[in-house]
Amino acid sequence: MTAPHRVVSLLPSATEILFAIGAGDRVVAVTHECDHPRDDVARLPRVTSSALLTEGASSREIDTHIRRARHEGSSIYHLDEAVLTALQPDLIVTQELCEVCAVAYAQVQQAVRRLPADVPVVSLEPETLEDICATVAAVGEATGCGRRAAAVEASMRERVDVIRSLAPPEPRPRMACIEWTDPIFAAGHWVPEMVALAGAVDPLGTAGRPSVDIPWERVLEARPDVMVLMPCGFGLEHTLEIAKEVTSRPHFSELPCARSGRVVAVDGSSFFNRPGPRIVDGLEILAAATRALPGDMLPRGAAWVGANP
């Protein structure tokens, strides 16, 4: 099979994988949310845009907009089919896992049917760390970059094994990972698995299952020793700005994590929400947070949040 030369990535994690495995020079377009590697993707055309007006909106307002759009059967992303057609792609990489994270798969299929040629579509559906590693190999096979992909996958697995080999704290701390701050969402899919590998216990999320909104009372009942704020799509600075949406909630100050000051904000967009190579950086952040005390240095992409709002 001839390796593709004009690849369109409709998923930020796919864009990261493509560049990591040496296929970046074949990428001809990305999404409006693709930002890594920054200098490489900055020059590429965008074939998507947000259908929601959420600039300056609160977390609650963004959630309301998304729920309303999904209830009405509307997409939350625009796909520019004219630009897609003009680019003449010979491979499209997308996903079905989450319609909030990228253009809906049905929308992509509809656009592909209108293309003049029969363009293959690779859909990435990782739900665990193992799946994420396998996804790297799958993109390598689809692009003819199998050797480089195998090296990236091996490096990821080696770093995971280093964390797995660390002796966990005794007792293991309860770690609450918050993927959205208002309403509260407990992180799912690969995050609870990452928490376990890091040496902690996740009392809220379920490994391999989607993130789910939960009442604040569930967090209070879980009494986490460590809390990690990782709102989907937000960088570290933005997460620090909205931390009060959690820390100002009733009885937050009574939680063990608040009393000890072990509340951590992270760059969720780069290291937790996207199932790509940098997910291992996220695992290393959780391993550090599992063992660190306020004042200790945290890895890049993480920072302590004051225990008081």
Side-chain angles (χ1 to χ4, degrees), residues 133-159:
C133 291
T135 291
V136 174
V139 176
E141 181 179 357
T143 56
C145 297
R147 182 175 298 180
R148 180 74 174 271
V152 172
E153 180 185 7
S155 175
M156 292 173 65
R157 293 184 184 278
E158 288 172 6
R159 291 169 64 192

Side-chain angles (χ1 to χ4, degrees), residues 165-232:
S165 69
L166 298 176
E170 292 296 342
R172 290 178 178 245
R174 297 181 302 280
M175 176 179 282
C177 293
I178 307 301
E179 195 172 84
W180 197 252
T181 53
D182 189 15
I184 296 288
F185 271 72
H189 288 130
W190 45 83
V191 173
E193 179 187 3
M194 294 166 69
V195 170
L197 285 170
V201 175
D202 187 339
L204 299 175
T206 302
R209 301 297 300 167
S211 303
V212 61
D213 57 327
I214 60 174
W216 175 241
E217 288 72 23
R218 280 278 308 280
V219 181
L220 296 177
E221 292 167 0
R223 297 188 57 76
D225 302 297
V226 184
M227 179 177 288
V228 183
L229 305 180
M230 51 177 69
C232 188

